[in-house]
Amino acid sequence: MAEYEELTACEASLEMLKKAAEDGQETAFDRVKQQKGCAFGEAGSCCRICNMGPCRINPKKPDESRGVCGATMDTIVARNFARMVAGGSSAHSDHGRAVAETLVMAAKGEATDYEIKDRIKLLEVAADLDIEIGERSIEDIALEVGERCVGMFGQQEGELDFAQRAPEPRKEIWRQLGIFPRGIDREVVELMHRTSIGVDQDYENILLQASRCALSDGWGGSMIGTELQDIMFETPVPIESKVNLGVLKEDEVNIIVHGHEPLLSEMIVLATNLPEMQEKAKSMGAKGINLSGICCTANEILTRHGIPIAGNVLQQELALLTGAVEAMVVDVQCVYQGIGQIANCIHTDIITTSPKAKMPFAKHIEFHEDHALDIAKEIVSVAIDNYPKRGKVAIPDKTESLIAGFNHEYINYMLGGKFRASYRPLNDAVIDGRIRGVVGVVGCNNPRVKHDDINVRVVRELIANGCLVVMTGCAAQSVAKAGLMLPEVARDICPQGLWEVCEAVGIPPVLHLGSCVDNSRILIALTAMVNEGGLGDDISDLPAVGCAPEWMSEKAIAIGQYFVASGAAVVFGVSWPTTGSKNVTDLLFEKYNDIYKNSWHFEADPEKMVGKLLTLIDGKREALGISAKRERVLYDMAMRRELKI
Ligand code: SF4
Ligand code: SF4
């Protein structure tokens, strides 16, 4: 058992790892030991983008060799990093495109299972896009919003509309650098072109386009995903739920949705609640249907419906090993091929649903938005049919409660009230030191480091040091499992200032903001803090930092790059993919402070990572002139006007 304790900080996962070994089943935790890693790949110094290669430059002797085409270490490392940004941006953005296309279909009456649930959000987004509201019908407005968003993918010139939401000084930086994103697809295509053989061979220039591409994700594809999902499925509000493998039920049909796009998972929620489906489950001897989620699609239905989370990305194989899952329904992104191999040995069906993502050992039931609910019913039906085929079941008796469903709209409302929605109290709490700073902790799990351990340790220490933490992705699920997303945690762990704020507004010190595309919510929240006043003129002035302690996906690199290009410092853990080139690493870690007024940082050790985050926050506080511990004062309008910061 001790050897497994090195692998995960999650008790339910520990139990399942032991069971995997007993059953002779292999998981990512085993395969990571077989994949030792390669020094060239780790340094980013291997190039295989043309057939004269692969070419490898020795990270210890970077100046002694070049690729066959003459490419230097700097060029190769910058290209590899930039292509991670392109890959990550394309994933978020293709998700956003599917949502925009579905909104158009729904508005035209061609996808009748989808609705415009959040009309207020629709009108807000329409107003931001300068779309006329007048006496027009909701469907008409939704159609124009959807079509404008679809258009942003193919836009060739000009400036992306949602990027206009950024603070003015930030937009000026982008314009001066020539990186204001034009169209979402254009930036990805141009980055892929520029990093192919014999094109852009200036590492600084390559990374400028990487920023432009990443910005088209954060302020484009991801933001479209978040905004339009809110319109169709409602903007989340705080909601209580449970997390970890113990949410699976022994006497019910267990269906897990896994992947990213709520277009599918929302329909599965609807289908599982239909009386006909519940009856069918009972006719098979089950007490009902129990839906849960894994990864970001779990975050989507958690924040809107309170559907429990079975686990994060590293628990997808472990969930199947309980023997209690009738179907794991997947769409796109972060779905391990390993689940097919495990499912092949047990009664579970892996059901792929996207024409973009098929896999061996899976049943493919293709999802189409124009008859979404019928397909969801077919999927649920397949799961129910599997229930009698179950063998022995072993569900860890481990769950934790959490409150999720926070976002810019709710922060605004909870702090200011319905009629005076405002970030003023948040900014005041930061200014008077009750909140030391705001840290976005995002990203994944990675079996190269102890599962959940770093995410949890970093967040616990941050809130103990007075930081308000906002979270998305699988990192949020790590921290929820550790019980840190409950309001009562504030009094136990946080210093007096932070717990007073948390208690006054009834929030936990760690706010679950949703899925990975919902990192766009953090951009909006940071911009709202700037616009509220008193904390500088740009995102780069705020005592706010981002970090991804256990990242693995290239989507995390895209997110980091758009945060840095938007002015927020970012600290990543695990390992860093540009170490082969001193010039590229210096650019990202040092020179970006001149270019973007903040930069990337790397720190694998959780304690040192917290130290770095606090130093960055305190540096901003000092620059704002709010570093000294102040007596708590209530700012009236006159005092606010006098505030020079
Ligand atoms: S592009 Fe250059 S460095 Fe890369 S594989 Fe081809 S020859 Fe080698
Ligand atoms: S946080 Fe990482 S692992 Fe989890 S769903 Fe997002 S990209 Fe995938």
Side-chain angles (χ1 to χ4, degrees), residues 332-409:
V332 289
Q333 303 172 25
C334 303
V335 178
Y336 292 173
Q337 192 162 346
I339 59 171
Q341 271 117 23
I342 293 177
N344 196 34
C345 305
I346 53 178
H347 83 301
T348 308
D349 271 329
I350 304 297
I351 302 178
T352 52
T353 57
S354 168
K356 297 173 196 164
K358 297 185 179 179
M359 62 196 285
F361 306 119
K363 251 193 189 113
H364 188 70
I365 303 179
E366 200 153 300
F367 187 71
H368 295 282
E369 287 75 12
D370 55 355
H371 49 297
L373 187 57
D374 285 342
I375 297 168
K377 283 197 276 187
E378 186 186 341
I379 290 169
V380 171
S381 210
V382 168
I384 296 170
D385 288 338
N386 266 347
Y387 183 74
K389 301 180 201 158
R390 255 195 207 176
K392 221 169 138 213
V393 164
I395 302 172
D397 185 18
K398 304 271 179 332
T399 59
E400 186 52 79
S401 300
L402 80 154
I403 310 276
F406 296 93
N407 45 54
H408 155 71
E409 287 81 356

Side-chain angles (χ1 to χ4, degrees), residues 5-320:
E5 278 165 10
E6 296 302 310
L7 303 180
T8 179
C10 164
E11 286 181 25
S13 300
L14 193 61
E15 236 178 279
M16 294 318 298
L17 282 173
K18 197 162 170 255
K19 181 167 188 303
E22 284 163 8
D23 294 355
Q25 290 281 9
E26 186 190 81
T27 69
F29 292 90
D30 303 303
R31 292 188 294 270
V32 74
K33 292 180 211 148
Q34 298 151 18
Q35 296 291 341
K36 291 275 178 238
C38 151
F40 299 98
E42 277 172 15
S45 67
C46 166
C47 181
R48 47 172 296 278
I49 62 173
C50 93
N51 203 32
M52 293 193 285
C55 302
R56 306 189 306 180
I57 313 270
N58 185 344
K60 293 197 179 116
K61 298 174 185 162
D63 300 324
E64 286 185 14
S65 62
R66 291 180 169 215
V68 175
C69 66
T72 61
M73 177 69 109
D74 295 342
T75 302
I76 290 173
V77 169
R79 283 196 303 222
N80 285 334
F81 183 82
R83 285 191 164 208
M84 292 180 88
V85 171
S89 300
S90 68
H92 291 140
S93 298
D94 216 26
H95 169 166
R97 182 203 323 271
V99 179
E101 287 174 341
T102 306
L103 179 63
V104 169
M105 288 172 75
K108 285 181 176 170
E110 294 168 359
T112 50
D113 297 322
Y114 297 93
E115 295 170 55
I116 314 298
K117 284 196 178 155
D118 194 335
R119 292 173 175 224
I120 293 174
K121 182 87 184 230
L122 172 69
L123 299 182
E124 283 168 1
V125 171
D128 272 4
L129 295 175
D130 283 329
I131 288 174
E132 191 198 324
I133 294 170
E135 299 297 308
R136 297 171 75 192
S137 72
I138 284 295
E139 288 71 24
D140 218 23
I141 298 167
L143 179 60
E144 192 171 343
V145 167
E147 284 177 340
R148 278 281 290 280
C149 289
V150 170
M152 288 180 209
F153 290 89
Q155 192 175 314
Q156 300 303 318
E157 294 299 337
E159 298 179 342
L160 266 188
D161 280 322
F162 281 143
Q164 299 298 344
R165 292 168 159 184
E168 283 304 326
R170 186 53 38 184
K171 290 190 284 189
E172 263 321 296
I173 289 174
W174 297 341
R175 287 184 188 118
Q176 277 167 19
L177 291 170
I179 61 163
F180 206 114
R182 294 158 292 184
I184 298 160
D185 290 354
R186 176 165 191 170
E187 306 312 351
V188 177
V189 168
E190 185 172 317
L191 188 52
M192 290 305 287
H193 173 204
R194 281 166 65 164
T195 53
S196 61
I197 162 84
V199 188
D200 200 347
Q201 292 162 83
D202 173 332
Y203 69 92
E204 298 197 42
N205 207 40
I206 291 169
L207 292 177
L208 276 176
Q209 180 58 20
S211 292
R212 198 175 204 178
C213 177
L215 290 169
S216 81
D217 170 3
W219 298 90
S222 283
M223 199 168 280
I224 289 171
T226 296
E227 298 293 69
L228 303 197
Q229 282 165 192
D230 283 353
I231 289 170
M232 280 195 289
F233 307 128
E234 274 185 327
T235 305
V237 291
I239 191 160
E240 194 176 349
S241 191
K242 297 268 183 208
V243 60
N244 217 341
L245 293 171
V247 305
L248 297 173
K249 293 193 176 150
E250 238 180 273
D251 50 5
E252 295 193 22
V253 174
N254 288 301
I255 301 175
I256 294 181
V257 285
H258 171 22
H260 280 75
E261 295 179 3
L263 296 173
L264 167 71
S265 50
E266 281 281 331
M267 290 299 124
I268 302 284
V269 173
L270 276 182
T272 51
N273 286 328
L274 290 172
E276 64 197 84
M277 289 294 141
Q278 293 289 339
E279 282 313 311
K280 177 167 177 175
K282 284 179 188 147
S283 74
M284 292 288 185
K287 284 204 173 136
I289 307 170
N290 179 44
L291 183 65
S292 59
I294 279 186
C295 274
C296 276
T297 209
N299 289 329
E300 300 279 4
I301 52 174
L302 162 76
T303 56
R304 294 195 178 88
H305 302 281
I307 303 288
I309 291 182
N312 46 18
V313 65
L314 260 179
Q315 290 177 282
Q316 57 188 289
E317 292 168 305
L318 306 181
L320 300 187

Side-chain angles (χ1 to χ4, degrees), residues 23 50 53-54 128 198 222 439 454 488 586 630 637 641:
D23 294 355
C50 93
D128 272 4
S222 283
V439 188
I454 308 181
E488 52 268 33
D586 283 353
R630 296 178 175 197
M637 279 314 290
R641 266 185 235 110

Side-chain angles (χ1 to χ4, degrees), residues 260 295-296 313 334 443-444 473-474 516 552-553 555:
H260 280 75
C295 274
C296 276
V313 65
C334 303
C444 324
C474 290
C516 289
M552 65 90 194
S553 170
K555 290 181 284 176

